[in-house]
Amino acid sequence: MTDTSIPSAEQSLDEETAPAAVADDVEEIEAEAAREKKAPAESELFRQSEIAADYVEGLLDILDYDGDIDELVSGGRPVVEVVGASLQNLVGQRGATLEALQELARLAVFRQTGTPSRLLLDVGGYRANRRKELAAVAKNAVEKVKEYGEPVRLEPMSAFERKCVHDVVNAMSGVESESEGVEPNRRIIVRPAD
């Protein structure tokens, strides 16, 4: 119901609009509280990276591999980086072993915290290098789409790889991307934007 009353001389305009402003503030505070509940605090994310780092360190000891482990929080997610020589066996063909190790580390975090983790594990800088390669693949696909006006289907990729390509394509105008298919054959299609 709309209030059509005219404020009296003693009532200021601020008093008349205060209930609406308060309601907006309450909604904003509630929305912020909901976001905070959904997104773990940075200290909790760092704790997740420490748990995962301990797990990976134990695994390295069992395998008798040498590597330095860094735990950090980057982009709102826990990250564990393992650096050292002779770690290629932990990456595997096209990062398959790395993906499996990441899932094991996430399970270790879940077992201790009771909450799912978006942990990102990188070994020997594989993910950083792969990100650069995928940016080049995405840019090449965008150029082909713009030149020929036809959709381009990329090779099947992991979720990490697809995210990297989507990020590059979404930053460019005139094109869009979407994933299709079922794992492990899920791929990206880059097409002209509508």
Side-chain angles (χ1 to χ4, degrees), residues 4-192:
T4 58
S5 63
I6 299 172
S8 66
E10 296 100 25
Q11 185 181 20
S12 73
L13 290 174
D14 288 341
E15 290 173 352
E16 180 184 70
T17 59
V22 169
D24 289 343
D25 289 343
V26 169
E27 287 175 12
E28 190 174 313
I29 291 168
E30 287 173 352
E32 180 66 27
R35 282 192 296 273
E36 287 176 6
K37 281 185 179 179
K38 289 179 186 175
E42 186 155 334
S43 62
E44 175 60 25
L45 294 174
F46 189 74
R47 180 170 174 258
Q48 290 180 14
S49 66
E50 288 177 320
I51 293 167
D54 289 344
Y55 177 81
V56 171
E57 184 176 12
L59 186 63
L60 291 177
D61 288 343
I62 291 168
L63 296 172
D64 198 26
Y65 282 3
D66 290 326
D68 292 327
I69 301 174
D70 294 324
E71 59 268 340
L72 55 132
V73 174
S74 177
R77 59 192 304 186
V79 178
V80 173
E81 295 177 345
V82 183
V83 292
S86 305
L87 296 175
Q88 282 309 104
N89 289 338
L90 295 177
V91 174
Q93 185 178 8
R94 295 200 51 197
T97 306
L98 176 58
E99 290 292 331
L101 291 174
Q102 178 175 277
E103 286 307 309
L104 290 172
R106 286 178 174 178
L107 284 172
V109 171
F110 180 75
R111 191 178 71 217
Q112 285 196 25
T113 64
T115 58
S117 176
R118 294 181 56 233
L119 173 82
L120 185 67
L121 176 64
D122 193 7
V123 174
Y126 173 80
R127 290 197 191 274
N129 292 334
R130 186 70 177 138
R131 215 179 253 115
K132 290 177 189 173
E133 293 169 4
L134 291 167
V137 167
K139 288 175 184 175
N140 186 33
V142 167
E143 288 174 12
K144 286 182 181 179
V145 168
K146 286 183 175 182
E147 184 176 342
Y148 300 110
E150 296 290 321
V152 173
R153 280 186 167 74
L154 301 178
E155 65 185 40
M157 298 178 185
S158 69
F160 162 77
E161 293 171 325
R162 290 192 310 271
K163 168 97 170 74
C164 292
V165 172
H166 284 304
D167 288 347
V168 171
V169 173
N170 289 336
M172 302 178 122
S173 62
V175 291
E176 61 187 14
S177 62
E178 71 175 339
S179 296
E180 73 171 11
V182 179
E183 297 290 353
N185 296 315
R186 195 155 169 79
R187 64 181 65 228
I188 290 180
I189 299 174
V190 181
R191 65 173 46 104

